[in-house]
Amino acid sequence: EGEGWSRQTSKTMSGPYENVQVSRLVTFLGTGNYSETVYRLAEREATRTAYVGRVLAELLKPRDVAVLATEEAEQRHGDGLKEALRAGNHPAPRFVRIPAGRPPAELWHQFEAIKAELRGSAGPVMLDITHGFRSQPFFAAAVATFVHAVDETPPNLHVCYAAYEAKDPNTGVAPIWDLSEFVAL
């Protein structure tokens, strides 16, 4: 099952993405300094924005947008992300508070919060780890692997990373990388 899952995901992610939708977008929001850019997923480019969550909402058209954020991250970027989503007529984000993850109890809280968001969708889920801080992308991958291995009927899960640093020097467009196959391993 896992092998077919990753092959199917790979085919879907490399296609034109014109008809692909996800039910839920799960994205991290951090405290970094985000710069506006244009991102490309497969062959489609999104509106210039500083928020990868806005880009993925535009390209994937989720019915639900869950934003994993610390209190500090939500205070710093929450209003900006809400406005970017509203301007594109996308669903309002649902903020899911996660702790910074310093002591082990906070790490387990992060694990449980991510697990609940991956499991709670009625359809395909896109997990965006772009703005995850420190151990958060590691935890997200561990949770995705856990859910896929343990759940009787795991969600159709895609994982991506928007690579701002890998912008094309000629066009200034940054790619969004599909990491789904690596989680399936």
Side-chain angles (χ1 to χ4, degrees), residues 14-185:
S14 62
Y17 244 117
E18 291 177 24
N19 297 317
V20 175
Q21 292 187 329
V22 296
S23 292
R24 176 174 291 164
L25 168 62
V26 179
T27 186
F28 284 94
L29 188 63
T31 59
N33 296 321
Y34 302 150
S35 298
E36 286 191 353
T37 196
V38 173
Y39 287 96
R40 176 182 291 137
L41 178 61
E43 299 303 316
R44 292 187 56 207
E45 291 180 8
T47 304
R48 176 177 293 279
T49 182
Y51 299 103
V52 177
R54 162 60 160 92
V55 168
L56 293 169
E58 178 181 331
L59 297 176
L60 302 176
K61 308 205 181 332
R63 292 186 291 273
D64 180 35
V65 177
V67 180
L68 303 166
T70 62
E71 182 176 359
E72 182 183 1
E74 186 175 350
Q75 287 175 355
R76 180 157 185 190
H77 290 295
D79 289 341
L81 177 58
K82 285 179 196 173
E83 181 52 39
L85 288 166
R86 184 176 23 255
N89 200 29
H90 303 293
R94 185 172 45 80
F95 285 88
V96 178
R97 183 65 47 86
I98 57 173
R102 290 179 183 94
E106 287 186 0
L107 295 174
W108 281 111
H109 181 86
Q110 277 186 22
F111 189 93
E112 292 298 322
I114 297 167
K115 184 172 69 172
E117 292 306 319
L118 297 183
R119 285 182 167 167
S121 179
V125 176
M126 173 60 82
L127 174 61
D128 165 38
I129 62 170
T130 305
H131 295 304
F133 180 65
R134 292 191 182 151
S135 63
Q136 290 169 345
F138 172 79
F139 269 82
V143 174
T145 302
F146 174 83
V147 167
H148 186 70
V150 173
D151 287 10
E152 188 172 312
T153 310
N156 180 356
L157 178 65
H158 304 278
V159 180
C160 71
Y161 175 79
Y164 179 83
E165 315 79 29
K167 282 195 283 188
D168 181 303
N170 298 317
T171 65
V173 175
I176 297 177
W177 294 334
D178 172 26
L179 305 176
S180 305
E181 290 190 44
F182 299 102
V183 173
L185 292 175

